């Protein structure tokens, strides 16, 4: 069921978006060579405690997860692209890590993700991140009142396909509100002019993610981490936005 937020409720969601952006900024800055993924999770966990926020991940146990997630941050390294479960691994020079974080502040949720390169970048990794980031920007720009959900999906796909990447539609964007995941599902490929009408008050997370040379994913032995089927690297970008009468409002913007 899709629930539209009032203008006042969207204002009440701003602190959650600001906090999620703040945490991702801090974690991304800390992601250096030799830093343990568990350290990154601890940074996010400490910030949650200090803010009096609530994690959306730690007790999260959907049908596709082997058990409750147990951490507060997703850390997907190299061929991992989604739901990366933090574990005892120290980042190496040239690693690419996607950081995904969602939290509740004052009863409202925001969800966002960013991919960064640790140390020396590979050109192909930088290109993949650039494509994913531009696809997110295009998806946000297409989230206009009076439009259709397919406009967002088509805008995301247009960027990816133009750069030669294929698209998996098993996981994508979603509604956000009192909980992390709600209707509607927003695939990263679709047809413009199709799907539900985009109305002011709709709050969604738009999240393109692409793999370098495949659109097939497999689940890691940890029961959570999703990896590319061919070992190629992946990138992920996400923002929580509200559709307003004046256009899209990014709630999870980072400073």
């Amino acid at each position: 069921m899709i629930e539209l937020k009032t203008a006042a409720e969207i204002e009440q969601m701003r602190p959650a978006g600001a906090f999620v952006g703040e945490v991702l900024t801090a974690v991304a800055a800390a992601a250096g060579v030799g830093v343990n993924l568990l350290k990154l999770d601890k940074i996010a966990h400490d910030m949650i405690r200090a803010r009096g926020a609530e994690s959306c991940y730690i007790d999260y146990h959907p049908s596709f997860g082997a058990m409750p997630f147990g951490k507060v941050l997703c850390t997907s390294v190299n061929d991992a692209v989604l739901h990366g479960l933090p574990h005892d691994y120290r980042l190496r020079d040239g690693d690419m890590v996607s950081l995904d974080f969602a939290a509740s502040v004052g009863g409202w949720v925001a969800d966002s993700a960013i991919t960064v390169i640790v140390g020396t970048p590979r050109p192909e990794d930088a290109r993949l991140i650039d494509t994913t980031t531009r696809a997110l920007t295009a998806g946000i720009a297409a989230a206009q009142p009076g439009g259709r959900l397919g406009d967002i999906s088509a805008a995301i796909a247009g960027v990816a396909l133009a750069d030669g990447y294929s698209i998996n539609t098993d996981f994508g964007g979603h509604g956000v509100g009192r909980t992390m995941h709600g209707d509607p599902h927003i695939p990263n490929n679709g047809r413009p002019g199709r799907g539900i009408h985009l109305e002011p008050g709709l709050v969604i997370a738009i999240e393109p993610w692409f793999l370098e040379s495949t659109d097939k994913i497999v689940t890691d032995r940890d029961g959570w981490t999703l990896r590319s089927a061919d070992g190629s690297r992946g990138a992920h970008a996400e923002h929580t936005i509200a559709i307003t009468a004046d256009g899209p409002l990014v709630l999870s913007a980072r400073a």
Side-chain angles (χ1 to χ4, degrees):
M1 177 178 176
I2 298 173
E3 296 183 0
L4 299 180
K5 280 65 173 180
T6 66
E9 287 174 329
I10 290 173
E11 285 301 308
Q12 292 167 15
M13 296 185 75
R14 284 182 182 269
F19 175 68
V20 166
E22 179 185 348
V23 171
L24 279 180
T25 297
V27 173
V33 175
V35 175
N36 198 302
L37 297 181
L38 296 176
K39 172 64 175 178
L40 298 181
D41 186 73
K42 184 178 185 303
I43 291 171
H45 210 156
D46 289 347
M47 293 180 74
I48 287 172
R49 291 194 190 97
R51 182 63 173 79
E54 295 182 12
S55 169
C56 293
Y57 291 168
I58 198 161
D59 295 322
Y60 186 52
H61 191 187
S63 59
F64 56 81
M67 65 287 187
F69 191 72
K71 304 294 182 184
V72 302
L73 179 72
C74 291
T75 55
S76 303
V77 180
N78 296 335
D79 65 319
V81 67
L82 296 175
H83 309 160
L85 187 63
H87 58 285
D88 185 14
Y89 174 82
R90 293 187 180 276
L91 292 167
R92 302 169 184 171
D93 185 50
D95 277 349
M96 186 160 70
V97 57
S98 297
L99 306 164
D100 192 356
F101 180 72
S104 174
V105 176
W108 293 105
V109 170
D111 189 5
S112 187
I114 186 173
T115 301
V116 297
I117 298 171
V118 177
T120 309
R122 303 193 315 169
E124 55 268 43
D125 294 342
R127 179 176 183 269
L128 180 58
I129 292 174
D130 176 69
T131 297
T132 309
T133 303
R134 287 189 291 106
L136 175 60
T137 300
I140 293 171
Q144 298 292 335
R148 297 270 193 162
L149 192 69
D151 300 343
I152 300 174
S153 300
I156 291 169
V159 175
L161 296 175
D163 285 359
Y165 299 110
S166 57
I167 301 167
N168 179 297
T169 55
D170 292 341
F171 295 91
H174 50 86
V176 181
R178 294 290 187 181
T179 60
M180 176 172 58
H181 288 147
D183 293 329
H185 171 66
I186 307 165
N188 288 322
N189 196 358
R191 296 173 62 184
R194 295 296 188 92
I196 65 166
H197 286 283
L198 301 177
E199 301 180 54
L202 181 64
V203 180
I204 53 178
I206 299 176
E207 55 176 315
W209 60 276
F210 309 124
L211 300 165
E212 187 176 2
S213 57
T214 184
D215 58 11
K216 302 296 189 297
I217 51 176
V218 295
T219 303
D220 190 86
R221 288 177 297 176
D222 65 16
W224 270 102
T225 305
L226 297 180
R227 299 184 180 276
S228 66
D230 66 356
S232 62
R233 293 186 171 193
H236 180 198
E238 178 183 17
H239 269 312
T240 296
I241 73 157
I243 296 175
T244 75
D246 297 323
L249 171 67
V250 179
L251 295 171
S252 56
R254 293 180 288 274

